[in-house]
Amino acid sequence: MKLVYKYLAFFSVGFMLFLTLISMAKSPEQVIEGKWEELIWEYEKVDTNENSNFGFNSISNYVKNMISENLVIHQAEQWKFFPNGKLILEGNGYSKQVSWCMKGRGNILEIKYDNQNVEHYNVTELSKDKMILNFDTDVHARGIARLTFKKIK
């Protein structure tokens, strides 16, 4: 009977430690708040030319504009996330305010525009200083575009 109590106590302490660690962790909504700068656009699943000596992992601005033709975000160089669900996208002579929220288990970033267009990005990585977003493209190039950001202090 003492053995049962020991196991029960051991698992209870482990469970309490688990709950404490989870409650101390910041939610994705809190981590994403702040100013982020686009670093690079890349492709994760892109066809490569076997005759070429280099892979086509990063993309030019021309291809970036073609792929994200219907996206407003591709013009932004800085994304400013505010706690009230407001997101300001800023670029060269460009500024747009949209709304944002996290969906799922904090792994999907949803962005809504005034014209009711909605974009969904998979949040691949989110830390205090780095964010990686993925979205599927279906235009001229096949693949998943990956946007990498760094947080601006």
Side-chain angles (χ1 to χ4, degrees):
M1 198 61 163
K2 286 184 177 184
L3 188 60
V4 172
Y5 288 127
K6 287 181 182 180
Y7 280 119
L8 189 60
F10 176 75
F11 287 115
S12 296
V13 169
F15 185 70
M16 295 297 272
L17 180 63
F18 175 74
L19 288 178
T20 302
L21 290 175
I22 287 180
S23 66
M24 290 174 42
K26 286 187 173 182
S27 70
E29 289 88 356
Q30 292 171 323
V31 176
I32 203 170
E33 290 173 6
K35 191 178 197 181
W36 295 86
E37 180 180 19
E38 282 184 14
L39 292 179
I40 190 167
W41 282 50
E42 299 173 300
Y43 278 99
E44 291 186 339
K45 295 180 182 176
V46 69
D47 292 338
T48 57
N49 184 351
E50 293 178 8
N51 298 328
S52 175
N53 291 334
F54 57 94
F56 293 95
N57 288 333
S58 60
I59 62 175
S60 67
N61 283 334
Y62 172 75
V63 175
K64 178 180 166 183
N65 290 335
M66 273 183 30
I67 290 167
S68 56
E69 189 172 295
N70 295 324
L71 301 176
V72 176
I73 289 189
H74 74 89
Q75 299 174 8
E77 294 171 354
Q78 290 186 357
W79 298 20
K80 297 177 185 176
F81 291 89
F82 294 93
N84 59 358
K86 181 173 79 169
L87 169 61
I88 297 177
L89 307 170
E90 291 182 345
N92 288 336
Y94 174 84
S95 182
K96 178 139 183 98
Q97 181 177 323
V98 297
S99 60
W100 71 277
C101 66
M102 298 298 279
K103 297 284 185 170
R105 289 171 266 135
N107 62 331
I108 298 177
L109 173 63
E110 180 181 88
I111 298 177
K112 292 182 184 178
Y113 297 90
D114 294 338
N115 60 4
Q116 301 308 316
N117 283 346
V118 177
E119 295 174 353
H120 293 97
Y121 293 84
N122 290 327
V123 181
T124 307
E125 182 179 331
L126 181 60
S127 65
K128 66 178 183 171
D129 57 353
K130 185 177 182 182
M131 175 172 62
I132 298 177
L133 302 177
N134 291 42
F135 71 93
D136 292 316
T137 63
D138 57 349
V139 186
H140 303 108
R142 293 187 307 237
I144 298 175
R146 181 173 67 185
L147 291 79
T148 304
F149 295 83
K150 75 172 181 175
K151 195 162 204 176
I152 301 171
K153 304 284 179 186

